[in-house]
Amino acid sequence: MDTSRRATLRMLAAAPVVAAAGSLWAPETANAAQALPAAADTTPAPDAFSVEPRLGPTKSGPTYTDLIKDLVALRGLRFVKRSALLEHGPSRARRIKGGQSGAPEKILDGFAWGTRADRDGRSWMPQGVTTSYDAYGADHRGADPEGFGRTWLLVSWYLGKPARDARVTFVDITDMRNIRYRHVKLVEPYQRAGRTVYRPVAFHTGGLAWYRNRLYVPDTKHGLRVFAMDHLMRQTWNGGRSTTYLLPQSAAYDNDGTGLAYSAVSLDRTHGESEISLVVNEFHREDGKGEDVPDPRSNGDRTPRVVRWRLKPGTEWIESKAANEFFPVPGGWNAQGAVLVGGTYYLSRSAGGRPGSLLAFPRGNPVPKKVRPLATGCEDLSYDGRYDALWNLSEYPGKRSVCLVSRFVE
């Protein structure tokens, strides 16, 4: 073990954290688990960073669950298992080495998209990443009820500026020599003139977090949208000759406190099953141009922040509306994604047309330090405990890759 790796290891402090039980959230019943050691000035005021659950397009109308049941009645729509995504000629990706397809020179593994539109197209832009490890941990092949023994990696994309459509790509990376993938459109069911229909999900999809049956997607100015994996649908037309796959929205957590840009989201499972958390980070530029601007209640100095919410043990729902932890991150400009691993936060920082950087800081000391280079146009991060490493992807046409990189100092 070299001195840089040893120094980084000293930054890490893994311990379980407290959780609670209830309905959508239940702050009234505490679970006596070991707590993650508190860091000074990290607990927000109760109304500072908070979310409000929403189960339908409106608070008083039908729920998303009811609307999704109605969708199945539409012609050509039916529920399917995730394995259906690998049927009928999915696209194929190409395994790459460091330095290929825009990847940084040093990677542990990675791939490039298989079609010209996905590699070079300027319409759809890749953003977020999450994996089977987030969803089910190291034993995901046995724990995932619809995984069929496979390892999945998911990537979010948006279409247009401003965004007018969104999708998630399901990538089978069980065998990196035989990578297959399929795009799935994200949609929102709603009622129009008394009839249940759906519309595209029109936001940036800057990150992804998959936990069990739920997929969390950040809606920059509004909060988090939630999609249930077992609602995956296939729609056919032209006598079954044309097919598309849909994943309808099943819930939402709307921002209900201090203005926060929900630029990206990740999952932390490094403190045990009793303490699973969602980590949201903000993308701000130091010059203030092209940043993710939240509502007017935002912090005045625009310092980027990371904010953490616990999930209720044994469920896929946020424990309480109030966030459990936050950090202003001086110098955390251009942070495209953030993950918490043990006692250390990692950020992916983009740099325009130059290579990005992986940054790290210990909890309670949010002064990020560079760990290693990332790809030009780097985006979201996802921790994979099977390798003790990080997945990262890049968005620029002609230089798009998805790579597994070390989290230790180069």
Side-chain angles (χ1 to χ4, degrees), residues 77-275:
L77 263 177
R78 67 183 183 91
F79 293 124
V80 294
K81 300 292 187 182
R82 206 180 314 144
S83 58
L85 299 174
L86 301 179
E87 300 171 355
H88 310 298
S91 299
R92 293 185 177 273
R94 175 175 60 89
R95 193 178 195 176
I96 60 171
K97 299 179 180 179
Q100 297 178 335
S101 298
E105 290 296 327
K106 294 184 179 181
I107 65 174
L108 303 177
D109 215 334
F111 66 87
W113 301 103
T115 70
R116 179 174 294 180
D118 296 336
R119 287 193 310 270
D120 306 328
R122 296 182 177 275
S123 299
W124 286 98
M125 303 294 285
Q127 297 293 297
V129 61
T130 187
T131 69
S132 295
Y133 176 81
D134 279 341
Y136 292 100
D139 62 345
H140 63 85
R141 293 192 188 183
D144 184 351
E146 289 195 8
F148 300 96
R150 302 183 188 279
T151 300
W152 297 89
L153 179 145
L154 278 56
V155 169
S156 64
W157 310 61
Y158 73 92
L159 174 65
K161 290 186 177 181
R164 61 180 184 272
D165 209 344
R167 72 188 186 192
V168 169
T169 305
F170 287 69
V171 188
D172 175 13
I173 59 168
T174 311
D175 181 353
M176 292 292 288
R177 299 164 298 182
N178 181 29
I179 305 171
R180 299 171 292 172
Y181 66 91
R182 180 87 67 178
H183 301 308
V184 176
K185 288 174 65 68
L186 298 180
V187 298
E188 182 183 21
Y190 71 107
Q191 283 193 327
R192 183 177 63 195
R195 183 169 176 261
T196 300
V197 291
Y198 65 82
R199 57 194 166 202
V201 166
F203 58 93
H204 190 70
T205 64
L208 277 180
W210 177 16
Y211 183 61
R212 296 185 180 177
N213 192 44
R214 306 292 169 182
L215 185 65
Y216 297 87
V217 186
D219 184 350
T220 312
K221 295 183 180 181
H222 302 109
L224 298 170
R225 300 209 192 188
V226 186
F227 299 79
M229 290 294 203
D230 60 0
H231 289 160
L232 179 67
M233 292 179 165
R234 178 162 58 202
Q235 185 172 32
T236 57
W237 64 96
N238 291 337
R241 293 187 297 274
S242 300
T243 302
T244 190
Y245 290 87
L246 310 174
L247 189 61
Q249 183 174 336
S250 60
Y253 285 100
D254 296 329
N255 188 56
D256 191 43
T258 299
L260 181 70
Y262 290 73
S263 303
V265 64
S266 65
L267 190 100
D268 169 38
R269 58 159 54 251
T270 61
H271 302 102
E273 288 297 320
S274 63
E275 170 58 21

Side-chain angles (χ1 to χ4, degrees), residues 276-311:
I276 306 294
S277 296
L278 294 175
V279 175
V280 170
N281 72 279
E282 294 184 298
F283 173 87
H284 289 318
R285 285 177 46 162
E286 191 168 11
D287 61 12
K289 298 178 180 179
E291 65 181 20
D292 288 347
V293 181
D295 64 42
R297 296 170 292 178
S298 182
N299 54 331
D301 63 3
R302 297 175 33 262
T303 301
R305 296 162 293 188
V306 293
V307 184
R308 185 173 62 86
W309 280 269
R310 288 197 293 256
L311 300 183

